[in-house]
Amino acid sequence: MGQIALNELELYNNSDLSKDMITTTFATGAGSITNIIDNNLNSAWGSTGDVTFPGYITLDYGNNIVPVNKVTLVTFFGIGQGITNVDVEYFDGSRWVTALSGASVEWKLNDSTKERQSVSFPTVNAYKLRLKVNEGNRIWGNIALNELIVEHTSDNVPVTGIMLDKPELVFNSISGRSAELQATVMPA
């Protein structure tokens, strides 16, 4: 029998596979809404120039529960077309619940730099997640996104060590019953 060798494997994102995962109530003027979840910062989605608020961008995880506590918006020309105020809502299996209300997003750049702005909130377990877009910069009439990154970051930072300010404590009949000790927890 011969051997089979694989030297390289290239995978390409197929927007048809994610088209049912993400939807928007905004009319599309440029790109596909699936571009904002394709892990490609160079692809983008833009609304038409006649935006009315609020509008929704919704991720549907199907039967999977996904823990989430951070959403990052990536866009270029954020001062001109970035989303500036959102509510983060999640579907818990029976109803929509607000995880974060009225979160402001302030864009600093108005050039082709892919700028990131994040909002964080207490961890939720979502079957669906949606951004209720309340406002956006509309110098050209539209809003746009290059990527929507949904994350669950650890609420706890792992402790890698503890340093004490004294190498030892000695208690005896002539010492007091208490002593002060300073501890430094790492990472600090």
Side-chain angles (χ1 to χ4, degrees):
M1 277 191 168
Q3 294 182 349
I4 298 175
L6 179 63
N7 295 328
E8 186 174 328
L9 176 64
E10 292 185 31
L11 298 174
Y12 299 93
N13 185 45
N14 181 343
S15 62
D16 286 340
L17 297 177
S18 56
K19 70 180 180 198
D20 294 330
M21 185 178 178
I22 188 154
T23 58
T24 183
T25 60
F26 292 111
T28 295
S32 168
I33 192 64
T34 59
N35 287 350
I36 71 171
I37 60 168
D38 67 359
N39 294 317
N40 179 357
L41 297 181
N42 294 315
S43 67
W45 164 85
S47 71
T48 57
D50 56 350
V51 175
T52 57
F53 296 106
Y56 293 91
I57 298 171
T58 305
L59 284 164
D60 187 340
Y61 300 112
N63 294 326
N64 300 311
I65 297 176
V66 176
V68 179
N69 62 8
K70 183 177 178 183
V71 173
T72 301
L73 307 175
V74 183
T75 197
F76 47 38
F77 299 96
I79 291 173
Q81 61 187 1
I83 293 169
T84 59
N85 188 281
V86 296
D87 295 352
V88 179
E89 302 174 341
Y90 68 101
F91 189 74
D92 66 2
S94 60
R95 64 186 177 94
W96 285 100
V97 181
T98 301
L100 183 64
S101 181
S104 292
V105 180
E106 185 177 334
W107 300 99
K108 312 258 187 290
L109 303 172
N110 204 29
D111 61 23
S112 61
T113 304
K114 280 87 175 179
E115 184 178 357
R116 295 170 181 252
Q117 295 294 332
S118 299
V119 294
S120 297
F121 45 92
T123 299
V124 300
N125 293 308
Y127 286 97
K128 298 177 186 180
L129 187 79
R130 71 181 178 192
L131 293 183
K132 179 181 178 186
V133 181
N134 300 314
E135 192 57 59
N137 291 330
R138 292 169 289 164
I139 288 177
W140 305 289
N142 67 295
I143 58 170
L145 270 180
N146 289 58
E147 204 70 21
L148 174 63
I149 303 167
V150 177
E151 300 176 78
H152 180 256
T153 58
S154 176
D155 293 331
N156 302 313
V157 176
V159 173
T160 58
I162 298 175
M163 287 182 19
L164 302 174
D165 68 335
K166 297 176 187 168
E168 62 181 37
L169 288 177
V170 177
F171 292 99
N172 57 37
S173 61
I174 58 171
S175 67
R177 293 182 177 240
S178 65
E180 186 172 316
L181 189 62
Q182 296 280 38
T184 303
V185 178
M186 298 171 289

